[in-house]
Amino acid sequence: MTSASSTTATDDAWEPLASDRHGSWRLAAGDMAHAVTVPFVPVLIAEFAAAARVFPIVFSNSDPSPIAILGLDQHNLFVKDGVWESEFAARIGDAQAAGEQQADIYVPAYIRRHPFALLRTTDEQHVLAIDKTSPLLRKEGEEGTPLFENGKPSATVASALQFCEAFRQQAEATMAFVRALEARELLIERRANITLHSGRSLGLTGFRIIDADKFARLDGPTIVEWHAKGWLAPVHFHLASLSRLQALARRQADADAEHDGRTNANGQSESQLPTASA
């Protein structure tokens, strides 16, 4: 798992940030529209507690990175009209009341770091890169905050670098957790078959979950070791998060009802979780 790839941009969209190339560029305030076509994102072990309240957390089948499922049909069900919507708002359809209850809103760090990321160089170093296709960037004009001031990185870039470096470090900690799960053969392949009230069937494949029974049989020394490393709680957060698939199904049903002219109530579709990197 590295910081180089992105679900929201192709690999060739990323380029190292440099004053000679991006000296006049600015970062404009924007919404979450860039994330509307992102149905799965990697999550870090430090995010499990917050993310598990809102999303199902699973592990990719081909690359067992932890992944938050944001949608069942190739779209992020949490973004509507450019706004990251809470479960509360979606459930009662009252945006004003939703403003009074924000605890069920969580935007994964993978989304929040946009349009920045760290790229790994050939000598195993990391440089800050930018998604040159991002709608938040302005290549000319005065809108937004500058990326460079007097040829030097601005406070915006310094903050982005700090965030991305923290993300990279947490990604390494996350992979240590995943390697421990693999070493104990705790990850088992699963699929989800979901039928909406309309009769529409959805399938989700290409993911793994932790075998709860096998986890419960871990030996004492391993339990002590994992407790010391902070790995027990993430296991429980992951297992608890699986119940959020029902909430996703409700969101999908609402989205289908809103766009019924473009959906087939009797159709079937299947989504496969891709190899995901953080």
Side-chain angles (χ1 to χ4, degrees), residues 19-94:
S19 59
D20 59 346
R21 181 185 293 268
H22 310 107
S24 63
W25 289 27
R26 289 174 172 263
L27 181 66
D31 56 23
M32 287 289 176
H34 64 273
V36 72
T37 57
V38 183
F40 321 110
V41 293
V43 288
L44 306 172
I45 190 171
E47 299 183 275
F48 273 36
R53 299 196 311 265
V54 188
F55 320 114
I57 299 173
V58 298
F59 297 83
S60 174
N61 194 22
S62 53
D63 168 16
S65 305
I67 290 177
I69 304 175
L70 311 179
L72 299 174
D73 195 18
Q74 304 306 316
H75 287 86
N76 184 343
L77 292 171
F78 292 86
V79 176
K80 183 176 181 181
D81 298 327
V83 177
W84 198 282
E85 192 179 49
S86 74
E87 178 73 12
F88 189 66
R91 188 168 61 250
I92 67 175
D94 187 338

Side-chain angles (χ1 to χ4, degrees), residues 238-259:
H238 152 68
L239 293 172
S241 77
L242 299 179
S243 65
R244 299 303 301 167
L245 275 171
Q246 296 179 353
L248 274 184
R250 288 196 300 268
R251 279 181 175 268
Q252 186 65 61
D254 291 344
D256 284 359
E258 188 172 347
H259 302 92

